[in-house]
């Protein structure tokens, strides 16, 4: 049986992972909805209409599941980490207050959007989707500021373990906020873009090459391929920022044991002293971070062994995230190439089965990259829950065992919920009873 | 009045909204569990049709209460989480089970030709979970009022459950939820022109009222015994509010007896608001009696005015949006609750029935266009 701290960490990690998958659709799907509905309004093409109605319905389900999992997180913050909440809740509370209102607004405008098709004129209906997109993105942005604050805590004064004064806007002033928020928003776009494209690619592999699938595929791909190059650039920004703000995390994600001129290490396992089995590119890390191959990069040796994060997990998660990111970049380039050839009279973008298979994989790949990235930032911050201020181990709960068992059962239910929720939005158009979406 | 008091008032408002809206929601589940008689299938259908549209909007208030607490009074949030782990975890389990069962039932049976096996089981889960959560939240309230928190009172994890008062409070919470739901469902059945269902739920509402009344009467001496200070304050400071509550309850029952369901709803709301208000008034300024006062639990002083301002500004934006939503849809034409059919994407716009899904809608109305 796991010890209480590990069980609590595991529970939190699973709850957060579950929630974030549904939350990214809350951020990204409204963008697709707005684009598709705009296409329908401008062109009158009923295929766009069919896509929008389908996506809106799927959005409703995903939103509901996201809402329940969000409630779970609110409880778990208290049940699993009461000392953390008690000490710092007042400092980063504003992030969650803003997030709650953004969520409430999103729920309201979702109601208008889902039910207003025949009550509002088309353009007015489209406008109800705008607050949906804005509120969804804002909500996730606000929540990310809380996490950014945990990584780079600023704006408060502590005495004897109690916060005696705090800047109300502290989470928004955290140095990590800009890059974390942008990175998260773009990641959501990638997940939704490739996720939606993957759904229609599956249908196409099964032989359904109608207008419905083609447009669904192209809408997803446009979002994904626009977001990915941007994300690579943002990722570079984020890594440099982490190098400056949380050197131990950077050292862990790169698997850098010793301070000095640093190589880029791909893969490998950390044995407590150095990384073993990695592919080393000498001087490349120094070059990437500081522009010179002999620039000094802080390694794990700047912190005592007890203060080092779990290196292997952080490093491999980082390599996975970056690897998948570059894989998606390659897919984006391939997509661009195919589109260019198709424009010049070559084969259609979706004509290649191998290409479609790659698109199918890209959906889960984007989500895997998302989760890997969160592993990097959360595990890389250990042993701190608030960087350099509060250790995760000082959880402070009493009698946690029974509570953890109960939460584990809840987790099982969530898994069943996720399976059930995944059912109602299957790939493929509804039955072909009208000519609207056949062919 | 300080910013801390202001945030506290907002939290109280959230608790009231959650009790009235979420409570009725839970109560619906209770009636689903207790559906009996010749019309039990129609009873269950009515419950499902009523809950469907407003489910999320009902439960968002809980989020505001939790967030208001940890933003405004983080020490209290921590103490409550440490002091009530078992009832809170059980309440959460109930919420998750309800959510799962609800989504599964709502969205899982999209294609009538492919019925999902085990849907009836999920129905049971939904109904049982709907009963667990109000009981647990009632126990939490009682534990706070009497100071019976894990770590502050004997009993370990079971500390909040010990004694008569928590049991009475838990049962009373369920009874009140059931009453709120039944009164609501009476009106919904009436609007749907179903006299048999209306009579069914009126009987149930009256039964729930009797149970609630008995429990409330039993609860008072139990509270007096377990929390003498709070009891004394209730009698001195909050006496008028408690009288108001009793009057509201009686008015509600009288209105119900005379088939006046809208008035019954109003009376019930007055009773609930008064009880919560009276309790808060009596307990102030002890956030957790014997453990934390409002001042001791408050967040760093610079943050409170901003938290309060954001809360007020936020509601200033969202509540009118909510009103806009209800206005856009106006008065619905009502179709039979048996038409709980999935929206069919094949139908071009302008025909057919839109399914009820998520969203803060006036409960129970189906839109025909």
């Amino acid at each position: 049986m796991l010890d209480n701290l590990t069980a609590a960490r595991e529970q939190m990690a699973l709850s957060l992972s579950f929630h974030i998958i549904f939350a990214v659709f809350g951020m990204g799907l409204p963008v697709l909805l707005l684009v598709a509905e705009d296409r329908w309004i401008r062109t009158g093409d009923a295929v766009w209409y069919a896509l929008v109605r389908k996506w809106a319905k799927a959005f409703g389900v995903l939103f509901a599941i996201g809402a329940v999992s969000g409630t779970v997180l609110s409880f778990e913050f208290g049940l699993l980490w009461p000392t953390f909440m008690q000490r710092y809740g007042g400092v980063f509370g504003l992030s969650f207050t803003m997030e709650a209102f953004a969520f409430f607004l999103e729920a309201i405008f979702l109601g208008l959007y889902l039910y207003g098709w025949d009550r509002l004129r088309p353009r007015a209906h489209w406008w109800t989707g705008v607050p949906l997109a804005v509120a969804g993105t804002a909500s996730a942005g606000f929540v990310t500021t809380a996490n950014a604050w945990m990584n780079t805590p600023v704006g408060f004064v502590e005495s004897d373990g109690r916060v005696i004064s705090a800047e109300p806007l502290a989470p928004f002033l955290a140095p990590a906020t800009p890059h974390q928020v942008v990175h998260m928003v773009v990641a959501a776009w990638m997940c939704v873009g490739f996720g939606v494209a993957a759904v229609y690619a599956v249908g196409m592999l099964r032989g359904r090459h109608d207008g419905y699938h083609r447009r669904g595929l192209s809408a997803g791909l446009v979002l994904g391929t626009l977001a990915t190059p941007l994300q690579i650039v943002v990722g570079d920004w984020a890594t440099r920022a982490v190098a400056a703000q949380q050197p131990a995390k950077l050292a862990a994600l790169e698997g850098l044991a010793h301070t000095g001129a640093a190589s880029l290490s791909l893969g490998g396992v950390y044995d407590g002293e150095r990384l073993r089995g990695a592919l080393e590119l000498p001087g490349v890390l120094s070059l990437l971070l500081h522009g010179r191959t002999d620039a000094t990069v802080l390694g794990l040796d700047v912190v005592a062994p007890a203060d080092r994060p779990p290196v292997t997990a952080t490093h491999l998660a980082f390599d996975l995230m970056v690897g998948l990111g570059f894989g998606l970049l390659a897919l984006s380039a391939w997509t661009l190439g195919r589109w260019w050839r198709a424009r010049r009279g070559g084969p259609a973008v979706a004509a290649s089965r191998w290409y479609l298979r790659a698109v199918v994989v890209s959906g889960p790949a984007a989500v895997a990259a998302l989760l890997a990235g969160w592993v990097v930032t959360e595990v890389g911050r250990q042993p701190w829950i608030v960087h350099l201020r509060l250790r995760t181990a000082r959880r402070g709960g009493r009698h946690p065992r029974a509570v953890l068992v109960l939460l584990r059962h809840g987790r099982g239910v969530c898994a069943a919920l996720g399976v059930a929720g995944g059912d109602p939005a299957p790939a493929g158009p509804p039955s072909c009873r009208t000519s609207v979406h056949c062919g | 009045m300080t910013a801390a008091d202001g945030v506290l008032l907002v939290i109280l408002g959230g608790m009231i909204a959650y009790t009235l809206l979420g409570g009725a929601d839970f109560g619906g589940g209770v009636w689903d569990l207790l559906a009996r008689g010749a019309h039990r299938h129609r009873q269950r259908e009515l419950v499902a049709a009523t809950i469907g549209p407003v489910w999320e909007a009902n439960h968002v208030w809980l989020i505001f209460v939790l967030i208001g607490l940890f933003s405004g009074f983080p020490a209290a949030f921590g103490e409550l989480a440490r002091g009530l782990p078992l009832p809170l975890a059980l309440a959460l389990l109930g919420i998750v089970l309800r959510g799962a069962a609800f989504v599964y039932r709502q969205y899982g049976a999209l294609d009538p030709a492919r019925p999902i096996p085990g849907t009836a089981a999920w129905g049971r889960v939904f109904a049982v979970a709907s009963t667990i959560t109000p009981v647990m939240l009632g126990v939490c309230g009682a534990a706070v009022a009497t100071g019976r928190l894990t770590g502050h009172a004997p009993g370990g994890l079971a500390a909040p459950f010990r004694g008569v008062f928590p049991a009475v409070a838990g049962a009373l919470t369920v009874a009140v939820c059931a009453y709120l739901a039944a009164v609501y469902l009476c009106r919904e059945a009436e609007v749907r022109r179903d006299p048999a269902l209306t009579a069914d739920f009126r009987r149930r509402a009256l039964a729930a009222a009797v149970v609630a009344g008995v429990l409330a009467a039993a609860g008072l001496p139990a509270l007096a015994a377990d929390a003498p200070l709070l009891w004394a304050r209730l009698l001195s400071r909050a006496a008028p509010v408690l009288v108001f509550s009793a009057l509201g309850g009686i008015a509600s029952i009288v209105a119900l007896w005379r088939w006046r369901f809208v008035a019954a709803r109003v009376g019930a709301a007055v009773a609930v608001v008064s009880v919560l208000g009276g309790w808060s008034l009596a307990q102030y300024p002890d956030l957790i009696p014997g453990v934390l006062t409002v001042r001791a639990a408050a967040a760093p002083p610079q943050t409170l005015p901003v938290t309060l301002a954001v809360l007020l500004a936020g509601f200033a934006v969202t509540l009118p949006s909510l009103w806009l939503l209800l206005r856009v849809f106006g008065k619905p034409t009502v179709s039979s609750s048996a038409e709980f059919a999935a929206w069919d994407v094949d139908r071009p716009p302008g025909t057919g029935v839109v399914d009820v899904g998520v969203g803060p809608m006036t409960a129970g109305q189906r839109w025909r266009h």
Side-chain angles (χ1 to χ4, degrees), chain B residues 237-266:
Chain B
R237 283 186 211 170
V241 184
L242 288 183
V243 168
F244 220 51
S245 162
L247 288 177
I250 293 169
S252 179
I253 295 171
V254 166
L256 187 63
W257 185 260
R258 293 160 125 208
W259 300 78
R260 294 267 215 315
F261 301 121
V262 177
R265 275 197 214 177
V266 171

Side-chain angles (χ1 to χ4, degrees), chain A residues 3 8 22 33 49 51 66 69 117 120 139 185 194 199 215 222 241 245-246 273 303 314 341 374 406 426:
Chain A
D3 67 282
F22 293 93
L33 283 169
Y49 179 75
L51 281 170
S69 51
W117 287 101
L120 298 165
S139 178
V185 171
F194 289 118
V199 165
R215 285 191 177 72
V222 166
Q245 294 157 4
Q246 294 178 283
E273 277 173 43
V303 287
T314 311
R341 278 174 49 207
W374 276 99
L406 271 175

Side-chain angles (χ1 to χ4, degrees), chain A residues 231-268:
Chain A
Q231 186 71 314
I232 304 290
V233 172
V234 172
D236 179 65
W237 169 30
T239 315
R240 284 166 204 279
V242 167
Q245 294 157 4
Q246 294 178 283
K249 181 186 278 186
L250 187 279
L253 61 89
E254 296 288 1
L256 187 64
H258 302 294
T259 303
S263 350
L264 191 69
S265 310
L266 302 174

